[in-house]
Structure formats: C-alpha cells, structure tokens
Amino acid sequence: MAKHAVLSSGAKLWRSLPCAKSELRLELVLACGQTFRWRETADGHWTGVIGGRVWTLTQTEDTLWYYVYTNQGGADGENSSEDSLRAESVTASHHSEVEAEMLRDYFQLHVKLGDLYKEWGTADSHFKKISDIFTGVRMLRQDPTECLFSFICTSNNHISRIQGMVERLCQALGSPLCQLDQTSYHDFPTLSALADSGVEERLRDLGFGYRARFLQQSAKQILDTHGPQWLVGLRNVPYMEARDSLRTLPGVGTKVADCVCLMCLDKCEAVPVDTHVWQIAKRDYKYTSGNGQKTLTEKVHRDIGDFFKKLWGPYAGWAHSVLFCADLKKFQHLKEMTSLKQPQNEEEREGECEGLKIKREFEGHEIKKKPKSEREKKAKMSVKTEEV
C-alpha cells in the first residue's frame, strides 16, 4: 500500500519553489474555507488535488516543497505497485516545469503579498494589528468548475461539513486518481458528470439535501446555454458582468457569486459578504449601515463591499480574506499565543510592572485588613442570617 509522502523520509523525490512563509502559510490558506479538498496528512504536510494530480505540500521558512503522485489508473490503485507512485517531477524536466508553473498559478505567487500587507496596514490600523499575527494569507486561483460547485454546497453550512460533502461528491462522480494509506483520491467531477439526469437523486442519497438539485441544474444550464468553456471565459469579462452571469445559475446568490469571482475568476476586488463579514464590519469598523436590518439585504451587501473596496483598494477581496481567516474559531489560538508575549516597548513594560506592583500592594493591604479568621467569622454570620 502506497503511503503519503513525508519530506523527512525522502527529500530527493521532492521538488521546491522559493517562497517565504510571510508570502504563504499553508496551514492558514488551505484550511480557511477557500478550498475544501486539502487534508493535513502528516505534521505540516497537506495533501490534495490540483489539475487532476494528487499533491503533498509542505514548507520550511523560505521554501515551498511539493511531491506529485502519478495517476494509477485503477479505481483504488489495487493493481499498482508502490514503485509506480514516485513523483512525476523526477521523471522528466518537462513535467517538473509544468508542475512548478501549476503551483505558481494556483497560489498566485506572482502577487507580492508583503507589499499588499504594507499598503493595507497603512490604510487600516485594525488590519495592521491582525496582519502581524496572520501573515501569509493569500487567495488561491482555483479551477472554476471545482470552485463554483464547491461553493454551491456552502449554503447554510460550515467548513467541516462542506469538506465532507465535497469529498463525497468527488468520490461519487469524479475520476479515480490514486490511493494512499487507504485514502482514495478522485478528480473533481466534470460538468457532464454533474449534469447527468440521475445526479440529483444520487446526491440526495449522499446527504446533499436541496443542494443536490442546484448542483445538477447549474451544470445542465451551463452546458445547455453556454458551453463547457463558459466558466473559464468569465475570467476575461468585468467583475460585475461575471457576478451577474453567475447569479443566473440555480443556487448561486450574491455571496457565492462573489466567492467564485474572487477565488477563481481573477476578480481581486470582489468582497464576499455574509453575516460573518457583516459582524466584522460592525464590531471592528463601527459600520452602522443596515443596523436596523435583521437579515443581510442586497443593499447592505453592496454597501459593505463598497466600504471595504474604498478602504483597501483593488485587492480588497484579498484583504477581506485575512480578516475572515483571523475570525475563524480554529485559529483563535494564534491570537492567544501572541497576547502572551511580552510588551514590545519600554513604556508598556514599565506600565505593566507598575500595575503589578500596585496590584500586589493592594492585595497585601486587603489581606492585612481582613485576616482569614475574621473573614470566616463573617461568612458564618452571613450564613446564619440567610438561614433565619
């Protein structure tokens, strides 16, 4: 049985790209709800599918390491030997360059994230405080079909459940790729597979509920009305045109359309707004528009998006993703770790010492003023009074 690759046990089979952690942090980017197909298969090692290939990624301080498995051709790889699962990148220089470019494109490594963080931090003091903790959060450039149909599954859902649904979708309708440690990996389903007339019933049996109909009908509408290249073609039209086009599909509202525009259609200004982002705007930016509203209306969605675009500029969607990531419960420990660090400047250290001194003096004074025996007497007296 083939196993998931680990850098420490076979580094010569891995390839690498120069990439500092300040530009990309895998544990944040791959787990913050942009994509739903990556799993941590060893400490700091993430395995998922890009471009019909199974990858394991890990990183050191200044390097992104990757291992690409060969397709096995069987449903579960039962007839393939472990030797056949060597990295494609070591078999040919052509494969090596193709894979490197796929990775650069997927993580959009041509975008200098450090420069953007500086711009956003200068314009927004709250962002500056958050970004000092949550470095390396960047937008992926995903396959449009995978991104769209994954986000149709996000309606009234949470990340862990969406991950399970997307995985079941791939296992049911996607082409098999390989098996590692008894885990089967499949490609994302094609539009044709999603549009099949029997898909809705099959997905309902798999627990998709009402989303099953949206998935099948959206795929059918794209193929019948636009053709298989339509989604990719939306990369070449203006943001609002792309968003309005996506909203004609069953199960695609403004928020899902904005996610797709931002995460696979190159619309960096798109700011997806849900109730979570609405709360961030109100709590951290004292945003008051729509306060009388109990639900997120189209106007509130538009106004919040415009507010952040004006604040952050043409890459507003990227900045939004940093704050969204920072607000997820799974990452709160990073804030707690930072809060335990010593104050950074001398004045704050002196202030803390003085505060601690005053606190100790006060506590010592209280202890002398109320000895334990006296407190116990008063406690007993109060108990008797309550009993009466």
Side-chain angles (χ1 to χ4, degrees):
M1 178 66 68
K3 298 182 179 298
H4 290 95
V6 179
L7 182 63
S8 60
S9 62
K12 66 181 181 180
L13 295 177
W14 291 68
R15 293 284 175 170
S16 65
L17 290 173
C19 182
K21 279 193 174 181
S22 59
E23 288 290 316
L24 168 66
R25 281 172 68 185
L26 293 176
E27 75 272 19
L28 298 182
V29 174
L30 299 180
C32 70
Q34 290 189 56
T35 179
F36 306 101
R37 300 204 62 202
W38 291 89
R39 301 290 184 278
E40 191 173 16
T41 48
D43 186 24
H45 290 64
W46 295 81
T47 303
V49 179
I50 309 173
R53 309 180 192 202
V54 181
W55 307 60
T56 293
L57 310 177
T58 192
Q59 62 185 149
T60 48
E61 284 302 317
D62 58 1
T63 305
L64 174 63
W65 295 87
Y66 61 97
Y67 187 107
V68 187
Y69 306 86
T70 57
N71 293 358
Q72 297 185 26
D76 294 308
E78 295 175 355
N79 299 322
S80 299
S81 66
E82 186 171 346
D83 291 339
S84 69
L85 283 175
R86 293 180 303 135
E88 287 183 9
S89 55
V90 304
T91 63
S93 59
H94 171 70
H95 283 179
S96 174
E97 185 51 42
V98 167
E99 288 154 3
E101 188 53 39
M102 288 173 69
L103 212 54
R104 292 189 196 101
D105 181 72
Y106 186 72
F107 288 110
Q108 305 196 72
L109 295 182
H110 65 283
V111 177
K112 302 303 180 185
L113 192 62
D115 293 343
L116 290 177
Y117 267 51
K118 289 178 183 177
E119 291 177 19
W120 298 326
T122 300
D124 178 1
S125 59
H126 175 69
F127 180 91
K128 177 67 169 66
K129 180 173 65 175
I130 293 297
S131 66
D132 286 345
I133 304 170
F134 291 86
T135 57
V137 179
R138 63 191 306 120
M139 296 308 307
L140 302 175
R141 190 175 192 248
Q142 302 176 61
D143 171 76
T145 298
E146 176 174 341
C147 187
L148 170 63
F149 288 90
S150 294
F151 273 93
I152 290 177
C153 295
T154 64
S155 174
N156 298 315
N157 225 337
H158 54 80
I159 292 177
S160 60
R161 188 161 180 264
I162 298 163
Q163 288 175 331
M165 293 175 72
V166 172
E167 191 57 40
R168 293 195 298 276
L169 181 68
C170 294
Q171 289 177 0
L173 303 174
S175 300
L177 297 176
C178 69
Q179 185 178 33
L180 305 169
D181 291 316
Q182 298 184 334
T183 298
S184 296
Y185 290 89
H186 292 71
D187 203 358
F188 198 85
T190 63
L191 283 171
S192 297
L194 290 163
D196 187 85
S197 59
V199 162
E200 180 181 348
E201 182 179 356
R202 191 172 180 185
L203 294 182
R204 283 187 182 276
D205 291 341
L206 291 173
F208 281 71
Y210 64 88
R211 303 173 193 89
R213 178 169 56 88
F214 292 152
L215 291 166
Q216 191 273 333
Q217 288 187 351
S218 288
K220 188 174 188 305
Q221 182 172 317
I222 290 172
L223 290 177
D224 291 349
T225 307
H226 305 289
Q229 298 303 312
W230 176 70
L231 279 174
V232 174
L234 292 179
R235 286 176 170 169
N236 302 317
V237 305
Y239 160 50
M240 292 304 294
E241 181 181 339
R243 188 178 78 167
D244 290 344
S245 296
L246 290 169
R247 290 181 62 192
T248 65
L249 300 173
V252 179
T254 303
K255 181 248 182 175
V256 168
D258 273 335
C259 286
V260 176
C261 283
L262 175 64
M263 299 173 191
C264 69
L265 298 182
D266 305 335
K267 316 307 181 194
C268 302
E269 70 271 35
V271 178
V273 178
D274 56 9
T275 55
H276 189 72
V277 174
W278 191 13
Q279 290 303 314
I280 291 174
K282 291 192 289 186
R283 183 192 67 216
D284 300 327
Y285 292 88
K286 312 304 178 188
Y287 187 82
T288 58
S289 178
N291 273 355
Q293 302 286 341
K294 293 184 178 180
T295 58
L296 187 60
T297 64
E298 285 292 327
K299 183 179 185 304
V300 173
H301 189 291
R302 182 179 63 252
D303 290 348
I304 292 175
D306 290 344
F307 169 78
F308 283 128
K309 288 171 199 170
K310 184 176 180 181
L311 178 63
W312 294 323
Y315 277 79
W318 285 52
H320 140 277
S321 70
V322 179
L323 297 188
F324 184 88
C325 178
D327 218 50
L328 293 174
K329 289 183 180 179
K330 66 172 70 177
F331 297 135
Q332 294 313 298
H333 65 282
L334 297 177
K335 293 180 181 178
E336 293 166 3
M337 289 169 58
T338 303
S339 68
L340 293 175
K341 292 181 180 179
Q342 292 293 322
Q344 294 184 352
N345 60 59
E346 197 65 33
E347 289 182 5
E348 288 179 344
R349 282 197 293 272
E350 290 177 358
E352 271 199 1
C353 292
E354 185 64 25
L356 185 59
K357 179 182 177 182
I358 294 171
K359 183 174 184 290
R360 285 173 176 169
E361 288 176 353
F362 178 78
E363 290 174 345
H365 176 68
E366 287 295 304
I367 291 171
K368 291 177 183 178
K369 188 175 181 181
K370 295 182 180 180
K372 183 175 181 182
S373 58
E374 185 178 339
R375 292 201 306 275
E376 288 176 347
K377 289 178 182 179
K378 288 190 175 182
K380 290 178 180 179
M381 290 174 61
S382 64
V383 169
K384 289 180 180 179
T385 303
E386 288 177 3
E387 290 175 349
V388 174

